[in-house]
Amino acid sequence: MSGSIVINGGTPLQGTIGVLGAKNAALKHMVASLLAPGLHTIENVPGILDVAIMGQVLEHVGASCVTDGTTLQIDVPETPNPEAPLELVRQMRASILVLGALLARTGEARVALPGGDDFGARPIDFHLRGLEQMGVEFDLRHGVLHAAAPNGLTGTDIFFEFPSVGATENILLAAVLAKGTTTIGNAAREPELTDLAEYLMKMGAKIDGAGTSTIEVHGVERLGPATHRTVPDRLEAGTYLVAGAMSRGEVTVTDCRPEHLRMELKKLEEAGCDVAITEHTVTVRGPDIPMATDIATLPYPGFHTDMHPQMVAFLSVAGGTSLVTENIYSGRFRYLGELNRMGADIHADGQHVVIRGVENLSGCEIDGCDIRAAAALTIAALRADGVTTINDAQHVDRGYDGFVPKLASLGADIRRT
Ligand code: EPU
């Protein structure tokens, strides 16, 4: 579904909303299922566009995917086809992970170079160098990576210069069926990656240290199918909490893991929100005028880059000047022009975003840009005077299941055209 999101701002959001499993975990679980033939069950999977695209990638390599509500069953063949199609991989960066899984299963893979959101250069050199260390040879022809491990995959010591989520996952997927032990140093520690490791362990993988910066993987001969419930989406939770705060309302998010949002909640408190947590819920009440606060995005447990646009939208109406430093991506700033069109006073200088708080935003017609930008612009529109129309609304469908109905259930005057 494409089209626009139309929001008439000014209504404080009130109420309770549940979140589903994390996009950035469910997509990886889908790829991980390729590591073992048989019938896998992945629960708590959001009904989003990226999951549908990944389903098509899996079907192309020979698996069959059946969805029943939020439960996804994946039947993986004994011998997958080692090729992921260009037109699908181009649409979604997470599909590069089939590289590690297909190499582990078949000793070869042909995968197009990935696309995804436009945040500046997003190379995959860490993925490739790590796999090379494990015995993979690469040849890039006409935009397609031809990968082969003529002598199989062999465990080794890999140390990343940056804790890349995707590179850590790709090596993990390759290492679980490799010969010997693979040690991943400076590994990413994101909860979605820990969740992937838990699923792999249910399949029979031997993994120590997931969730820390050193992961040790002892390769096994064969894995079996498993059932796993996807970890709750901290980004979906965080987005609705900021939306509630921006609208001067009070929103409770259920079915989430508040400990995965510690830094984001700390920043909301610094900005003047009241935050209350229980084991699986978070309630945030927004102030009339947020206080200016400074944020630096960092790998987990630091402030998540995928919550940066939403917080910038919130701080655009703060009583003072805030500085948000983006340390993960070189170019996550396209949406700033759209916020300024709504009356915000924001400029980017290198990796820094300087936000001078304004009293009011006003609705107008803007472009969605990418998943989190579209969410951030919706957040701004919830407080803006008058009507905002966000075009390219399909961006939110990539990452949020039922974005518009969920906000409407909290009282937002919002619709999809
Ligand atoms: N990087 C390299 N070389 C590599 C790999 C990464 O230079 O080989 C750089 C990237 O260019 C980027 C930084 O390292 O500047 C971090 O990239 P990372 O590999 O950690 O990110 P990713 O795996 O491509 C995932 C999420 C993103 C999220 C990042 C950071 C998925 C499908 N995507 O991307 O999510 O922003 O981790 O946490 O898991 C989103 O959900 O909206 C989204 C973009």
Side-chain angles (χ1 to χ4, degrees):
M1 206 188 342
S2 184
S4 305
I5 298 174
V6 180
I7 304 126
N8 191 8
T11 316
L13 303 189
Q14 298 287 345
T16 299
I17 205 158
V19 293
L20 287 167
K23 164 177 90 77
N24 291 344
L27 292 173
K28 321 303 170 64
H29 300 347
M30 291 174 77
V31 177
S33 69
L34 294 176
L35 289 167
L39 190 63
H40 298 252
T41 304
I42 307 173
E43 297 166 354
N44 204 23
V45 177
I48 53 176
L49 193 56
D50 277 10
V51 164
I53 297 172
M54 187 61 90
Q56 289 175 42
V57 174
L58 296 195
E59 300 247 342
H60 190 93
V61 303
S64 76
C65 303
V66 177
T67 312
D68 179 10
T70 55
T71 299
L72 178 62
Q73 290 205 308
I74 305 174
D75 201 356
V76 177
E78 198 59 50
T79 316
N81 162 21
E83 185 173 271
L86 181 75
E87 66 279 9
L88 295 175
V89 178
R90 278 245 172 95
Q91 291 177 48
M92 191 179 53
R93 186 170 165 89
S95 39
I96 192 63
L97 294 183
V98 297
L99 193 59
L102 289 176
L103 278 163
R105 274 303 295 293
T106 68
E108 58 174 324
R110 291 184 293 284
V111 180
L113 286 183
D117 296 312
D118 178 14
F119 301 152
R122 291 177 78 184
I124 53 164
D125 50 332
F126 306 156
H127 303 232
L128 303 189
R129 264 187 261 143
L131 290 169
E132 268 170 359
Q133 275 184 262
M134 298 179 76
V136 179
E137 293 166 6
F138 290 103
D139 185 15
L140 178 65
R141 273 179 269 148
H142 309 295
V144 177
L145 265 178
H146 294 245
N151 303 312
L153 295 168
T154 308
T156 182
D157 270 10
I158 293 168
F159 191 86
F160 291 125
E161 61 185 77
F162 183 88
S164 154
V165 176
T168 306
E169 291 166 339
N170 230 335
I171 299 303
L172 187 59
L173 293 172
V176 288
L177 287 175
K179 285 191 272 292
T181 298
T182 305
T183 306
I184 311 173
N186 201 16
R189 292 182 285 163
E190 270 64 8
E192 294 77 19
L193 189 138
T194 310
D195 197 48
L196 172 63
E198 280 170 17
Y199 175 39
L200 290 168
M201 288 191 280
K202 286 182 189 164
M203 290 165 68
K206 302 257 178 291
I207 302 167
D208 293 318
T212 75
S213 45
T214 305
I215 302 177
E216 209 172 72
V217 187
H218 307 283
V220 296
E221 291 261 310
R222 195 175 164 86
L223 298 170
T227 295
H228 185 73
R229 186 172 175 80
T230 311
V231 68
D233 196 326
R234 60 195 164 117
L235 299 170
E236 190 191 10
T239 299
Y240 294 127
L241 293 170
V242 178
M246 180 69 165
S247 73
R248 303 183 175 97
E250 179 171 322
V251 167
T252 298
V253 169
T254 60
D255 312 319
C256 66
R257 299 273 295 270
E259 71 271 25
H260 293 161
L261 278 164
R262 283 186 70 175
M263 187 56 79
E264 292 75 16
L265 295 176
K266 180 172 148 55
K267 289 292 165 184
L268 282 172
E269 277 184 323
E270 268 180 40
C273 297
D274 290 331
V275 176
I277 61 172
T278 69
E279 197 184 348
H280 293 296
T281 73
V282 185
T283 301
V284 169
R285 185 151 59 88
D288 195 27
I289 298 176
M291 287 185 277
T293 186
D294 295 341
I295 294 173
T297 65
L298 285 170
Y300 186 79
F303 192 96
H304 201 312
T305 177
D306 293 337
M307 285 298 296
H308 141 177
Q310 298 90 315
M311 276 306 273
V312 168
F314 182 49
L315 294 172
S316 71
V317 291
T321 299
S322 308
L323 182 67
V324 172
T325 302
E326 173 54 56
N327 290 310
I328 309 297
Y329 294 116
S330 58
R332 179 161 222 170
F333 302 129
R334 204 153 71 80
Y335 73 100
L336 296 180
E338 306 305 294
L339 276 179
N340 285 343
R341 230 191 265 249
M342 298 177 74
D345 180 359
I346 307 175
H347 72 270
D349 184 359
Q351 71 197 106
H352 304 291
V353 183
V354 180
I355 307 148
R356 295 193 177 86
V358 295
E359 273 185 28
N360 287 312
L361 299 173
S362 66
C364 62
E365 190 168 333
I366 49 182
D367 287 334
C369 305
D370 63 71
I371 307 176
R372 310 303 166 190
L377 294 167
T378 305
I379 287 171
L382 289 169
R383 185 172 175 132
D385 295 334
V387 174
T388 304
T389 302
I390 303 174
N391 297 321
D392 299 334
Q394 76 278 5
H395 289 295
V396 293
D397 303 330
R398 289 194 44 211
Y400 295 90
D401 185 337
F403 186 67
V404 168
K406 280 186 174 178
L407 286 171
S409 78
L410 295 171
D413 183 350
I414 184 169
R415 68 192 158 87
R416 188 74 178 248
T417 63

